[in-house]
Amino acid sequence: MSQICPHCAYIRKSSDQAPDWQCPSCSRAYAKSGRESAPASFRQLPASGESRRGAGRWLMLLLVSVLLLWFGRPYWQAKTAPMAISAEASQPEVILYATEWCGYCKMTRAFFQANGIRYTERDIEQSSSALSEHRKLGGNGVPLIVVGEELINGYNEAALRQLLKPWLKG
């Protein structure tokens, strides 16, 4: 039985010394009769589209991992909250720019007294230096409250509680 090489069209002779699966002329491996492909050791590499499929899986895995890290960040960062300020630490300086007649200023004073917060009050109608400080801070009304480096315009109990949380008694 004669075989014809599919690559170079060489017709195999019975006297050829090459193995049955290899062309004696071009030395390429070809399929034996009755088999659909060459032996496993002589198979060609997969086409470029097939080799990318494996890389695509790795890229997809990498993308999913990055997304999990990005969107999971708030959950693992919430567990590593910053150290709480101890109540023994000194309270930041609290300055209240107010007037005598203001109802919100009165509520702010009552909040500070009820929670044991030390503060300094500066009446902007009684003192010109207090009025100039109030204006430098950008105050456009009363009360204007300075807690350390933070500035609160108007009476805002939630903001006061957040800033003064470690020092509140009530």
Side-chain angles (χ1 to χ4, degrees):
M1 177 170 110
S2 64
Q3 291 182 335
I4 301 173
C5 177
H7 301 286
C8 68
Y10 176 80
I11 299 173
R12 187 175 186 94
K13 298 176 186 143
S14 59
S15 61
D16 289 332
Q17 298 295 319
D20 289 343
W21 49 265
Q22 186 177 24
C23 173
S25 174
C26 65
S27 298
R28 286 198 179 182
Y30 55 86
K32 293 182 182 179
S33 61
R35 291 182 116 182
E36 294 183 12
S37 62
S41 60
F42 293 98
R43 288 195 181 142
Q44 294 180 352
L45 293 174
S48 61
E50 293 179 36
S51 66
R52 280 192 225 147
R53 188 175 358 166
R57 289 179 185 153
W58 283 108
L59 287 174
M60 182 61 75
L61 181 63
L62 179 66
L63 177 67
V64 168
S65 301
V66 168
L67 289 174
L68 284 174
L69 285 173
W70 181 258
F71 290 110
R73 187 173 37 127
Y75 297 109
W76 57 267
Q77 281 184 345
K79 293 179 182 177
T80 59
M83 293 188 338
I85 301 170
S86 67
E88 299 159 1
S90 65
Q91 173 192 313
E93 182 182 17
V94 178
I95 301 172
L96 171 64
Y97 293 94
T99 60
E100 191 69 34
W101 51 266
C102 172
Y104 290 110
C105 300
K106 193 174 193 176
M107 290 171 59
T108 305
R109 287 185 208 104
F111 174 81
F112 288 154
Q113 288 173 358
N115 291 292
I117 301 296
R118 294 183 316 272
Y119 69 99
T120 305
E121 182 174 346
R122 297 191 180 155
D123 192 328
I124 62 171
E125 290 181 332
Q126 302 290 327
S127 168
S128 60
S129 63
L131 180 60
S132 66
E133 290 174 17
H134 179 266
R135 287 184 179 160
K136 284 181 187 176
L137 292 170
N140 57 358
V142 287
L144 179 67
I145 308 159
V146 180
V147 179
E149 299 291 321
E150 301 293 323
L151 189 66
I152 302 172
N153 279 308
Y155 178 70
N156 186 344
E157 186 175 337
L160 288 171
R161 286 193 180 279
Q162 181 182 5
L163 290 173
L164 297 168
K165 187 175 185 176
W167 299 280
L168 296 177
K169 292 183 181 175

